[in-house]
PDB file of all heavy atoms in Angstrom:
ATOM      1  N   PRO A 405      95.075  89.211   6.055  1.00  0.00           N
ATOM      2  CA  PRO A 405      96.523  89.251   5.909  1.00  0.00           C
ATOM      3  C   PRO A 405      97.042  88.203   4.925  1.00  0.00           C
ATOM      4  O   PRO A 405      96.355  87.236   4.607  1.00  0.00           O
ATOM      5  CB  PRO A 405      97.014  88.965   7.325  1.00  0.00           C
ATOM      6  CG  PRO A 405      95.933  88.133   7.939  1.00  0.00           C
ATOM      7  CD  PRO A 405      94.653  88.622   7.345  1.00  0.00           C
ATOM      8  N   PHE A 406      98.280  88.407   4.483  1.00  0.00           N
ATOM      9  CA  PHE A 406      98.963  87.493   3.563  1.00  0.00           C
ATOM     10  C   PHE A 406      99.160  86.125   4.228  1.00  0.00           C
ATOM     11  O   PHE A 406      99.203  86.001   5.440  1.00  0.00           O
ATOM     12  CB  PHE A 406     100.320  88.081   3.186  1.00  0.00           C
ATOM     13  CG  PHE A 406     101.170  87.202   2.300  1.00  0.00           C
ATOM     14  CD1 PHE A 406     100.725  86.840   1.048  1.00  0.00           C
ATOM     15  CD2 PHE A 406     102.420  86.763   2.728  1.00  0.00           C
ATOM     16  CE1 PHE A 406     101.509  86.044   0.217  1.00  0.00           C
ATOM     17  CE2 PHE A 406     103.208  85.980   1.907  1.00  0.00           C
ATOM     18  CZ  PHE A 406     102.753  85.615   0.645  1.00  0.00           C
ATOM     19  N   ALA A 407      99.283  85.113   3.383  1.00  0.00           N
ATOM     20  CA  ALA A 407      99.527  83.733   3.826  1.00  0.00           C
ATOM     21  C   ALA A 407      98.416  83.230   4.741  1.00  0.00           C
ATOM     22  O   ALA A 407      98.646  82.396   5.617  1.00  0.00           O
ATOM     23  CB  ALA A 407     100.899  83.589   4.491  1.00  0.00           C
ATOM     24  N   ASP A 408      97.211  83.732   4.522  1.00  0.00           N
ATOM     25  CA  ASP A 408      96.027  83.257   5.232  1.00  0.00           C
ATOM     26  C   ASP A 408      95.895  81.748   5.012  1.00  0.00           C
ATOM     27  O   ASP A 408      95.968  81.261   3.872  1.00  0.00           O
ATOM     28  CB  ASP A 408      94.806  83.994   4.672  1.00  0.00           C
ATOM     29  CG  ASP A 408      93.501  83.494   5.244  1.00  0.00           C
ATOM     30  OD1 ASP A 408      93.144  83.928   6.342  1.00  0.00           O
ATOM     31  OD2 ASP A 408      92.843  82.670   4.566  1.00  0.00           O
ATOM     32  N   GLN A 409      95.726  81.007   6.101  1.00  0.00           N
ATOM     33  CA  GLN A 409      95.702  79.552   5.993  1.00  0.00           C
ATOM     34  C   GLN A 409      94.577  79.052   5.091  1.00  0.00           C
ATOM     35  O   GLN A 409      94.739  78.067   4.364  1.00  0.00           O
ATOM     36  CB  GLN A 409      95.587  78.934   7.385  1.00  0.00           C
ATOM     37  CG  GLN A 409      96.858  79.011   8.203  1.00  0.00           C
ATOM     38  CD  GLN A 409      98.010  78.245   7.566  1.00  0.00           C
ATOM     39  OE1 GLN A 409      97.866  77.068   7.234  1.00  0.00           O
ATOM     40  NE2 GLN A 409      99.129  78.912   7.371  1.00  0.00           N
ATOM     41  N   LYS A 410      93.445  79.708   5.126  1.00  0.00           N
ATOM     42  CA  LYS A 410      92.319  79.272   4.301  1.00  0.00           C
ATOM     43  C   LYS A 410      92.530  79.628   2.830  1.00  0.00           C
ATOM     44  O   LYS A 410      92.106  78.895   1.940  1.00  0.00           O
ATOM     45  CB  LYS A 410      91.028  79.864   4.846  1.00  0.00           C
ATOM     46  CG  LYS A 410      90.670  79.292   6.217  1.00  0.00           C
ATOM     47  CD  LYS A 410      89.371  79.851   6.770  1.00  0.00           C
ATOM     48  CE  LYS A 410      89.031  79.203   8.103  1.00  0.00           C
ATOM     49  NZ  LYS A 410      87.763  79.709   8.663  1.00  0.00           N
ATOM     50  N   ALA A 411      93.224  80.742   2.577  1.00  0.00           N
ATOM     51  CA  ALA A 411      93.589  81.066   1.194  1.00  0.00           C
ATOM     52  C   ALA A 411      94.579  80.046   0.663  1.00  0.00           C
ATOM     53  O   ALA A 411      94.479  79.591  -0.485  1.00  0.00           O
ATOM     54  CB  ALA A 411      94.178  82.471   1.118  1.00  0.00           C
ATOM     55  N   LEU A 412      95.546  79.666   1.500  1.00  0.00           N
ATOM     56  CA  LEU A 412      96.530  78.667   1.083  1.00  0.00           C
ATOM     57  C   LEU A 412      95.871  77.306   0.847  1.00  0.00           C
ATOM     58  O   LEU A 412      96.284  76.557  -0.042  1.00  0.00           O
ATOM     59  CB  LEU A 412      97.640  78.548   2.119  1.00  0.00           C
ATOM     60  CG  LEU A 412      98.551  79.780   2.266  1.00  0.00           C
ATOM     61  CD1 LEU A 412      99.512  79.588   3.432  1.00  0.00           C
ATOM     62  CD2 LEU A 412      99.323  80.048   0.976  1.00  0.00           C
ATOM     63  N   ALA A 413      94.840  76.997   1.625  1.00  0.00           N
ATOM     64  CA  ALA A 413      94.118  75.738   1.420  1.00  0.00           C
ATOM     65  C   ALA A 413      93.410  75.737   0.071  1.00  0.00           C
ATOM     66  O   ALA A 413      93.411  74.724  -0.649  1.00  0.00           O
ATOM     67  CB  ALA A 413      93.113  75.520   2.555  1.00  0.00           C
ATOM     68  N   LEU A 414      92.820  76.869  -0.309  1.00  0.00           N
ATOM     69  CA  LEU A 414      92.162  76.950  -1.613  1.00  0.00           C
ATOM     70  C   LEU A 414      93.191  76.889  -2.737  1.00  0.00           C
ATOM     71  O   LEU A 414      92.951  76.249  -3.775  1.00  0.00           O
ATOM     72  CB  LEU A 414      91.339  78.235  -1.711  1.00  0.00           C
ATOM     73  CG  LEU A 414      90.502  78.394  -2.976  1.00  0.00           C
ATOM     74  CD1 LEU A 414      89.488  77.258  -3.119  1.00  0.00           C
ATOM     75  CD2 LEU A 414      89.786  79.747  -2.991  1.00  0.00           C
ATOM     76  N   TYR A 415      94.327  77.522  -2.541  1.00  0.00           N
ATOM     77  CA  TYR A 415      95.433  77.457  -3.504  1.00  0.00           C
ATOM     78  C   TYR A 415      95.853  76.003  -3.707  1.00  0.00           C
ATOM     79  O   TYR A 415      96.060  75.547  -4.844  1.00  0.00           O
ATOM     80  CB  TYR A 415      96.580  78.306  -2.964  1.00  0.00           C
ATOM     81  CG  TYR A 415      97.821  78.424  -3.810  1.00  0.00           C
ATOM     82  CD1 TYR A 415      97.819  78.268  -5.194  1.00  0.00           C
ATOM     83  CD2 TYR A 415      99.046  78.727  -3.199  1.00  0.00           C
ATOM     84  CE1 TYR A 415      98.983  78.398  -5.948  1.00  0.00           C
ATOM     85  CE2 TYR A 415     100.201  78.871  -3.944  1.00  0.00           C
ATOM     86  CZ  TYR A 415     100.178  78.697  -5.303  1.00  0.00           C
ATOM     87  OH  TYR A 415     101.334  78.838  -6.045  1.00  0.00           O
ATOM     88  N   ASP A 416      95.969  75.248  -2.618  1.00  0.00           N
ATOM     89  CA  ASP A 416      96.348  73.833  -2.716  1.00  0.00           C
ATOM     90  C   ASP A 416      95.280  73.029  -3.447  1.00  0.00           C
ATOM     91  O   ASP A 416      95.593  72.174  -4.292  1.00  0.00           O
ATOM     92  CB  ASP A 416      96.573  73.269  -1.314  1.00  0.00           C
ATOM     93  CG  ASP A 416      97.083  71.845  -1.340  1.00  0.00           C
ATOM     94  OD1 ASP A 416      98.219  71.632  -1.799  1.00  0.00           O
ATOM     95  OD2 ASP A 416      96.344  70.932  -0.912  1.00  0.00           O
ATOM     96  N   THR A 417      94.014  73.308  -3.159  1.00  0.00           N
ATOM     97  CA  THR A 417      92.914  72.651  -3.879  1.00  0.00           C
ATOM     98  C   THR A 417      93.025  72.904  -5.371  1.00  0.00           C
ATOM     99  O   THR A 417      92.844  71.988  -6.191  1.00  0.00           O
ATOM    100  CB  THR A 417      91.560  73.175  -3.364  1.00  0.00           C
ATOM    101  OG1 THR A 417      91.391  72.772  -2.003  1.00  0.00           O
ATOM    102  CG2 THR A 417      90.398  72.650  -4.197  1.00  0.00           C
ATOM    103  N   PHE A 418      93.322  74.138  -5.736  1.00  0.00           N
ATOM    104  CA  PHE A 418      93.457  74.506  -7.140  1.00  0.00           C
ATOM    105  C   PHE A 418      94.608  73.750  -7.793  1.00  0.00           C
ATOM    106  O   PHE A 418      94.455  73.152  -8.867  1.00  0.00           O
ATOM    107  CB  PHE A 418      93.664  76.016  -7.246  1.00  0.00           C
ATOM    108  CG  PHE A 418      93.909  76.520  -8.635  1.00  0.00           C
ATOM    109  CD1 PHE A 418      93.067  76.201  -9.682  1.00  0.00           C
ATOM    110  CD2 PHE A 418      95.003  77.342  -8.896  1.00  0.00           C
ATOM    111  CE1 PHE A 418      93.300  76.673 -10.969  1.00  0.00           C
ATOM    112  CE2 PHE A 418      95.249  77.828 -10.175  1.00  0.00           C
ATOM    113  CZ  PHE A 418      94.395  77.491 -11.214  1.00  0.00           C
ATOM    114  N   LYS A 419      95.775  73.749  -7.151  1.00  0.00           N
ATOM    115  CA  LYS A 419      96.930  73.073  -7.747  1.00  0.00           C
ATOM    116  C   LYS A 419      96.651  71.584  -7.953  1.00  0.00           C
ATOM    117  O   LYS A 419      96.912  71.043  -9.040  1.00  0.00           O
ATOM    118  CB  LYS A 419      98.160  73.268  -6.847  1.00  0.00           C
ATOM    119  CG  LYS A 419      98.754  74.671  -6.914  1.00  0.00           C
ATOM    120  CD  LYS A 419     100.046  74.797  -6.137  1.00  0.00           C
ATOM    121  CE  LYS A 419      99.819  74.813  -4.656  1.00  0.00           C
ATOM    122  NZ  LYS A 419     101.075  75.150  -3.915  1.00  0.00           N
ATOM    123  N   ARG A 420      96.137  70.927  -6.934  1.00  0.00           N
ATOM    124  CA  ARG A 420      95.881  69.495  -7.062  1.00  0.00           C
ATOM    125  C   ARG A 420      94.824  69.217  -8.127  1.00  0.00           C
ATOM    126  O   ARG A 420      94.937  68.238  -8.894  1.00  0.00           O
ATOM    127  CB  ARG A 420      95.450  68.926  -5.710  1.00  0.00           C
ATOM    128  CG  ARG A 420      96.554  68.939  -4.671  1.00  0.00           C
ATOM    129  CD  ARG A 420      96.081  68.440  -3.314  1.00  0.00           C
ATOM    130  NE  ARG A 420      97.107  68.569  -2.295  1.00  0.00           N
ATOM    131  CZ  ARG A 420      98.077  67.677  -2.102  1.00  0.00           C
ATOM    132  NH1 ARG A 420      98.122  66.581  -2.849  1.00  0.00           N
ATOM    133  NH2 ARG A 420      98.970  67.863  -1.163  1.00  0.00           N
ATOM    134  N   GLY A 421      93.819  70.073  -8.207  1.00  0.00           N
ATOM    135  CA  GLY A 421      92.801  69.906  -9.232  1.00  0.00           C
ATOM    136  C   GLY A 421      93.347  70.063 -10.634  1.00  0.00           C
ATOM    137  O   GLY A 421      92.939  69.342 -11.560  1.00  0.00           O
TER     138      GLY A 421
END
Side-chain angles (χ1 to χ4, degrees):
F406 177 61
D408 175 82
Q409 286 298 308
K410 293 181 177 181
L412 293 174
L414 185 60
Y415 182 25
D416 185 67
T417 294
F418 176 52
K419 286 186 286 189
R420 293 177 185 277

